[in-house]
């Protein structure tokens, strides 16, 4: 039976004012998995009305009461692991291990947000005036607009709202059209069951054709005071432009063209395992996925042979099968896009050493290429699928130059058995994140997560996330009467 969901506004499930709905497709079968309400601009305004109405009470609620809600939500989310796995398989083609990883990390994000609620915040300042006390305090900004993506729906759905809510803001969330339940309504359900008051988190789903209008209406509303978006660089530029036009801060976590660098002192077996995970987890549909594996020339031949063999043996197909590693992409169109990148690269001189060929529906074979020329679309373009390029280097300087030869700057991995060597290379990479003796895919709720250059700006996680959704105010208290010149 197809699931049917409405908008969540003011704590109530309501249809779109127009009565319209839109289909949410299962990428593996191509059949409707759910039907959700298709909001219009008037629904966005109602959601902001509800968030604004709930703000004062939520901001004033005892920090310990707010913390209790987040801790309960974390436990509830973990209890629903199997439900989440079924949801992610049906809605975005996520494999069970990937879904359970989403559950675990999202639950810990809620726990980290809970800890941040009662953590010390602000500073006592020195004052120029005698007898005066200066304070720098952080206070919630009001209503926050949150745009959550489909590819890691529970992780990124929770991340888009957790810090904002923990800081005392209310939120209107617009989840991805490809995962409106997993990265939106399911997250809201868990928080509501944990005791989040109605109107504090509102969820507006929409038809893909209306996405631009819904986003612009939400950001333009004068009661929305901050924006966060995780997704492609192309759409992030649009979101950032709208926010800037209305003088609203925006946190943007965007695409990556990430490198995994295998230095000459790497353990080859470990390097193969690390790169396989970093490239092909979730069929490469992670902003941190390794698009490029840069291998020292002394290891390149053996690494390529071992890596290609391991990749070729990865089980692909139905995400509901527990052994599946390469599940479907988010749509058949996404698989065709990856196939087109491969065809273009091969036509311009690249060699396929694993995978290749035509996709089967939304499932594309795990693919490894060598010799990709600079004029191929894949050389600078984000793969965002089960595909990577192997390139070689002779010196650290060449490895750094190749890794930095991109407009993006999200993350990187450096495989080495010499931490000092790895740190020297890491300090020269133009990324927001780098992992030494590990691959490029990692996230922890207490760490500052975000990119550089065209991979966006701002940081989620830990105290940095709280700072992103609060307004710093300077307050002084005079303990004696001041003297004035007139």
């Amino acid at each position: 039976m197809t699931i049917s969901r409405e908008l969540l506004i003011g704590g109530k499930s309501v249809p779109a004012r127009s009565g319209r709905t839109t289909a949410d497709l299962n990428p593996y079968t191509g059949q409707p998995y759910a039907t959700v309400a298709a909001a219009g601009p008037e629904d966005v305004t109602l959601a902001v009305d509800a968030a604004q109405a709930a703000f004062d009470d939520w901001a004033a609620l005892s920090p310990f009461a707010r913390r209790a809600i987040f801790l309960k939500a974390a436990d509830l989310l973990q209890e629903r692991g199997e439900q989440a796995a079924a949801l992610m398989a049906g809605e975005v083609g996520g494999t069970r291990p990937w879904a359970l990883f989403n559950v675990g990390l999202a639950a810990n994000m809620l726990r980290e947000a809970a800890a941040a609620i009662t953590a010390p915040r602000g500073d006592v300042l020195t004052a120029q005036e005698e007898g005066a006390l200066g304070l720098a305090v952080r206070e919630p900004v009001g209503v926050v607009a949150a745009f959550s993506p489909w590819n890691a729906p529970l992780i990124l759905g929770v991340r888009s709202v957790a810090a904002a809510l923990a800081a005392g803001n209310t939120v209107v969330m617009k989840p991805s059209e490809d995962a409106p339940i997993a990265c939106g309504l399911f997250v809201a359900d868990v928080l509501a069951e944990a005791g989040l008051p109605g109107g504090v988190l509102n969820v507006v789903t929409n038809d893909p054709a209306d996405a631009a209008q819904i986003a612009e209406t939400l950001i333009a509303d004068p009661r929305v005071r901050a924006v966060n978006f995780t997704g492609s660089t192309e759409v992030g530029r649009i979101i950032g432009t709208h926010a800037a036009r209305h003088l609203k801060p925006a946190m943007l976590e965007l695409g990556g063209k990430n490198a995994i660098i295998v230095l000459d002192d790497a353990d080859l077996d470990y390097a193969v395992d690390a790169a396989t995970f970093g490239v092909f987890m979730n069929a490469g549909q992670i902003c941190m996925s390794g698009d490029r594996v840069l291998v020292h020339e002394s290891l390149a031949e053996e690494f390529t042979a071992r890596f290609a063999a391991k990749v070729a043996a990865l089980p692909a197909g139905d995400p509901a099968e527990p052994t599946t590693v390469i599940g479907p992409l988010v749509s058949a169109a996404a698989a065709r896009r990856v196939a087109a990148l491969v065809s273009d690269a091969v036509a311009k001189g690249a060699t396929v050493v694993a995978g290749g060929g035509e996709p089967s529906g939304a499932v594309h074979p795990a693919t490894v290429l060598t010799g990709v020329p600079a004029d191929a679309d894949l050389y600078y373009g984000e793969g965002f699928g089960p595909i990577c390029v192997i390139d070689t280097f002779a010196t650290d300087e060449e490895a750094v130059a190749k890794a930095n030869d991109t407009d993006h700057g999200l993350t990187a991995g450096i495989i080495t058995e010499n931490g000092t060597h790895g740190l020297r290379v890491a300090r020269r990479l133009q990324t927001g994140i780098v992992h030494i003796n590990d691959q490029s895919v990692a996230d922890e709720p207490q760490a500052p997560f975000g990119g550089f250059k065209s991979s966006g700006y701002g940081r989620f996680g830990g105290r940095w996330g709280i700072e992103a959704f609060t307004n710093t105010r300077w307050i002084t208290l005079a303990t004696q009467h001041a003297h004035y010149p007139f």
Side-chain angles (χ1 to χ4, degrees):
M1 179 182 295
T2 303
I3 299 168
S4 180
R5 293 296 303 262
E6 296 180 319
L7 311 175
L8 179 65
I9 297 178
K12 297 179 180 179
S13 180
V14 297
R17 292 291 293 271
S18 66
R20 294 171 59 223
T21 62
T22 186
D24 177 19
L25 301 181
N26 179 318
Y28 186 66
T29 66
Q31 299 301 308
Y33 174 76
T35 299
V36 299
E42 64 277 14
D43 299 299
V44 174
T45 299
L46 290 173
V48 179
D49 289 344
Q52 182 66 33
F55 171 68
D56 287 340
D57 287 345
W58 176 244
L61 187 67
S62 158
F64 289 89
R66 272 191 275 145
R67 185 177 68 174
I69 293 170
F70 279 77
L71 291 174
K72 184 175 181 181
D75 292 342
L76 287 171
L77 183 55
Q78 287 203 295
E79 291 171 8
R80 295 184 177 186
E82 293 303 325
Q83 180 185 353
L87 171 59
M88 283 182 55
E91 193 171 40
V92 294
T95 62
R96 187 171 183 275
W98 174 238
L100 295 182
F101 177 78
N102 266 251
V103 170
L105 181 53
N108 282 336
M109 286 177 167
L110 290 168
R111 294 186 180 105
E112 183 67 25
I117 291 171
T118 51
R121 199 155 64 228
D123 298 283
V124 177
L125 309 174
T126 56
Q128 176 178 296
E129 298 298 322
E130 184 178 351
L133 174 67
L135 301 174
V137 300
R138 304 196 72 91
E139 297 181 350
V141 298
V143 180
V144 173
F147 296 81
S148 55
W150 57 265
N151 58 314
L154 297 184
I155 294 170
L156 301 181
V158 167
R159 192 181 73 178
S160 72
V161 302
L165 294 173
N169 303 288
T170 54
V171 174
V172 176
M173 176 198 266
K174 195 203 89 63
S176 165
E177 298 84 7
D178 288 313
I181 301 175
C183 71
L185 293 165
F186 181 77
V187 172
D189 290 344
V190 170
L191 283 162
E193 186 175 339
L196 191 74
V200 174
L201 174 58
N202 306 272
V203 182
V204 178
T205 59
N206 60 275
D207 186 275
D210 301 326
Q213 184 183 29
I214 295 298
E216 187 168 4
T217 301
L218 179 56
I219 296 170
D221 193 300
R223 296 165 297 176
V224 170
R225 296 309 318 152
V227 177
N228 78 80
F229 171 85
T230 299
S232 71
T233 297
E234 179 185 9
V235 177
R237 291 184 193 279
I238 298 170
I239 297 294
T241 298
H242 286 322
R245 183 179 299 119
H246 298 285
L247 296 178
K248 298 177 182 181
M251 184 187 300
L252 305 176
E253 196 264 283
L254 309 176
K257 187 67 180 176
N258 312 300
I260 299 172
I261 303 172
V262 181
L263 297 178
D264 59 355
D265 48 25
D267 179 295
L268 200 56
D269 289 334
Y270 177 71
V272 169
D273 290 346
T276 304
F277 178 88
V279 172
F280 295 106
M281 183 62 178
N282 195 35
Q285 298 174 115
I286 305 174
C287 59
M288 300 170 282
S289 294
D291 273 32
R292 301 169 292 160
V293 183
L294 307 180
V295 187
H296 190 272
E297 60 185 14
S298 65
L299 304 176
E301 183 176 354
E302 188 172 359
F303 175 89
T304 300
R306 292 194 197 181
F307 183 61
K310 186 177 179 72
V311 169
L314 295 176
D318 188 346
E321 291 292 331
T323 58
T324 296
V325 174
I326 306 296
L329 276 73
V330 71
S331 66
R336 291 193 297 271
R337 181 190 62 81
V338 172
L341 290 172
V342 175
S343 296
D344 173 75
V346 170
K348 292 172 179 173
T351 300
V352 175
V353 295
E358 292 301 311
S360 174
V363 179
H364 190 283
T367 300
V368 181
L369 300 170
T370 60
V372 174
D375 62 341
D377 293 340
L378 182 60
Y379 190 88
Y380 289 109
E382 185 178 13
F384 214 73
I387 181 174
C388 76
V389 172
I390 295 178
D391 198 358
T392 63
F393 61 89
T395 64
D396 289 354
E397 289 70 24
E398 186 181 2
V400 169
K402 287 187 174 184
N404 288 339
D405 186 22
T406 171
D407 288 338
H408 292 92
L410 182 55
T411 185
I414 300 173
I415 310 299
T416 174
E417 293 297 298
N418 184 327
T420 302
H421 185 188
L423 185 59
R424 286 200 306 268
V425 174
R427 294 296 299 270
R428 299 169 62 188
L429 298 181
Q430 298 168 353
T431 61
I433 305 163
V434 60
H435 303 292
I436 300 169
N437 209 26
D438 204 351
Q439 42 71 49
S440 56
V441 177
D443 195 354
E444 295 182 1
Q446 80 288 357
F449 189 98
F452 185 54
K453 300 193 291 188
S454 292
S455 290
Y457 45 78
R459 294 293 181 266
F460 290 98
R463 63 179 175 84
W464 298 273
I466 296 294
E467 290 171 0
F469 299 109
T470 51
N471 179 37
T472 302
R473 301 183 65 208
W474 177 38
I475 298 175
T476 66
L477 170 63
T479 62
Q480 62 189 45
H481 288 178
H483 297 285
Y484 306 108
F486 57 87

